[in-house]
Amino acid sequence: MNPVNAGTATAEASVTDAPAVDGHAAADDTALRRTAELEKLIRQAPERFRVMTGDRPTGPLHLGHYFGTLHNRVRLQDLGVDVFVIIADYQVLTDRDIADRLTEHMEAMVLDYLAIGIDPERSTIFNHSAVPALNQLMLPFLSLVSVAELSRNPTVKDEIAHSRQSAVSGLMFTYPVHQAADILFCKGNLVPVGRDQLPHLEVTRTVARRFNERYGQVFPEPDALLSAAPLLLGADGTKMSKSRGNSIALGATADETARLIKGAKTDADRHITYEPEIRPGVSSLVLLAALCLGRDPRALAEEIGGGGAAALKRTVTDAVNSTMAPIRARRAEYARDMGYVRSVLRAGNARANEIAGATLDEVRGAMGGVL
C-alpha cells in the first residue's frame, strides 16, 4: 500500500529514527499519539478494524519488507483484525513502462505471504486487475481532488523524481487517488504507514470526507497506524530495494544469504558499535542480527566488539539463516502445490469482487446512478 516506496503499494513504509523536518513535526506527533490510542483499541476490539495494505509485484520480497511490514500484518491478523492484502499489479506501471514477469512475481508474492504466516482463512489476498469495481471508483474520486492538490503531494513529487520513465505518466500523478480506491473499496479504516506516506493517506481521508459531504455518509476516514519499522540497508549500503539487487529475498537460500552478507558494505573501524548516524552500514547489519535474535542492537554490538566485520557478518548470517529457516521450509512446501497457491488468489479475488461490487452499488446510489 512500499507504494511506491520499496515496492509497497498501500503505503506501509519504514520510519527512521531521524526527526521530522519541513514543518511536519506536529503532524507526526499527532499521528504517533493516535497510533498509541489505536493500538489500545485494537487489543480491546479488533473486530472494529479493517486493515488495507499490500505490495507491488516488481520483484522478490526481502528482509526489509519482512521486518518493516510483513510481520506486522501477521500480528494484526492474529489479533483478530480483518486484513486485506493487495498485490497491486496495475500500480507496477506507475514508474515503469512495462509490467515485466508479472505472473511470476505475483505467484512468488503469494508464496511469501503464506510462508510468513498470512492465513487466507483470516486475511484476503487479491490483485488489482481482478477487481474492476475497485478501479472504477477512481472516476468519482478524481472529481473530489484538484490538480493543484495532487501536484503539491510531497510523496508524489519524490516518486516522480525517482521514476524510471523518461516522461511521467498520469497514473503516477493520480497514484494517491488510486490508493484511495484501494483503501475505501473495502471501507478500510486502518492503514499501516510510514512517516513518508502520511500525505498519501491524507488524500484518502480527503476523498472520503468530501464524498460524504457531497453525497452522504458512505466511507470511513481511515486512520494511519504509524509504523516504527526499522530502516535496513542493502548489501551496497543504500536502502534495501527490489530494484537495486542489494536485498536478501525471503526466498533466498542459506548459501545465497551468506554470500550477500559477506559482501555487505562496512567500514575501516574494526571495533563494532551501533551508531546509525555515523556508521550506517555496520549499524544496519547489527540491527538485522538484533531483529532476528530479539536483542538490543547496542548490547549486541558491544558483545561483538573487537571481533570486527568478520565476526559481525558471521553473527548476522547465523541469525538470519536461523530465523528464515522455518519460513523457507514453509515456502518450499507451498511451492510444491502451486495449484493451491493460485486458488488462494482466486478466493481472495472473489471476496474482493463481492465487496467492491457492493461498495460501487452504494456509491452509484449515493450519486444518483451517475456511474
Side-chain angles (χ1 to χ4, degrees), residues 31-165:
L32 285 168
R33 286 194 299 271
R34 180 58 177 157
T35 291
E37 296 170 359
L38 288 166
E39 287 288 357
K40 292 179 182 177
L41 292 171
I42 290 168
R43 283 168 173 74
Q44 293 168 2
E47 70 280 357
R48 291 175 51 189
F49 296 96
R50 176 170 282 175
V51 161
M52 183 67 206
T53 183
D55 309 277
R56 295 191 310 155
T58 55
L61 295 176
H62 51 65
L63 289 179
H65 295 120
Y66 178 72
F67 288 110
T69 67
L70 299 177
H71 75 100
N72 191 42
R73 299 175 193 177
V74 177
R75 178 185 74 92
L76 292 167
Q77 167 195 273
D78 291 347
L79 286 171
V81 174
D82 190 12
V83 177
F84 278 67
V85 183
I86 187 170
I87 300 176
D89 50 347
Y90 276 168
Q91 289 175 1
V92 170
L93 298 173
T94 53
D95 63 348
R96 60 199 72 204
D97 296 324
I98 59 171
D100 188 37
R101 298 163 59 193
L102 191 57
T103 299
E104 175 188 337
H105 289 324
M106 287 173 60
E107 292 183 350
M109 201 161 272
V110 178
L111 277 174
D112 287 336
Y113 292 155
L114 296 172
I116 60 103
I118 293 178
D119 180 357
E121 297 297 321
R122 294 180 290 164
S123 296
T124 303
I125 303 170
F126 69 103
N127 62 291
H128 255 155
S129 58
V131 190
L134 181 162
N135 298 290
Q136 195 169 344
L137 288 172
M138 274 195 74
L139 181 61
F141 286 179
L142 281 168
S143 74
L144 298 169
V145 293
S146 69
V147 171
E149 286 172 320
L150 290 175
S151 64
R152 286 196 300 267
N153 187 302
T155 310
V156 170
K157 287 181 179 179
D158 181 67
E159 288 166 357
I160 288 174
H162 291 89
S163 172
R164 296 180 176 189
Q165 295 171 304

Side-chain angles (χ1 to χ4, degrees), residues 17-36:
D17 294 328
V21 293
D22 298 330
H24 296 299
D28 288 348
D29 288 344
T30 300
L32 285 168
R33 286 194 299 271
R34 180 58 177 157
T35 291

Side-chain angles (χ1 to χ4, degrees), residues 234-238 260-267 280-283 285 313:
D236 59 357
T238 66
L260 285 163
I261 293 171
K262 184 177 181 180
K265 186 177 180 180
T266 53
D267 58 37
V282 166
S283 298
L285 286 171
K313 290 179 179 181

Side-chain angles (χ1 to χ4, degrees), residues 34 38 50 52 180 183-184 187-191 201-206 208-209 219-225:
R34 180 58 177 157
L38 288 166
R50 176 170 282 175
M52 183 67 206
I183 296 166
L184 297 177
K187 300 190 179 179
N189 58 4
L190 193 62
V191 186
L201 186 59
E202 193 55 40
V203 172
T204 300
R205 290 175 57 83
T206 297
R209 182 171 60 255
F219 295 110
E221 291 184 36
D223 274 304
L225 190 68

Side-chain angles (χ1 to χ4, degrees), residues 334-346:
Y334 283 119
R336 286 192 286 269
D337 187 0
M338 291 305 294
Y340 171 72
V341 172
R342 295 175 187 121
S343 75
V344 166
L345 192 56
R346 283 197 302 271

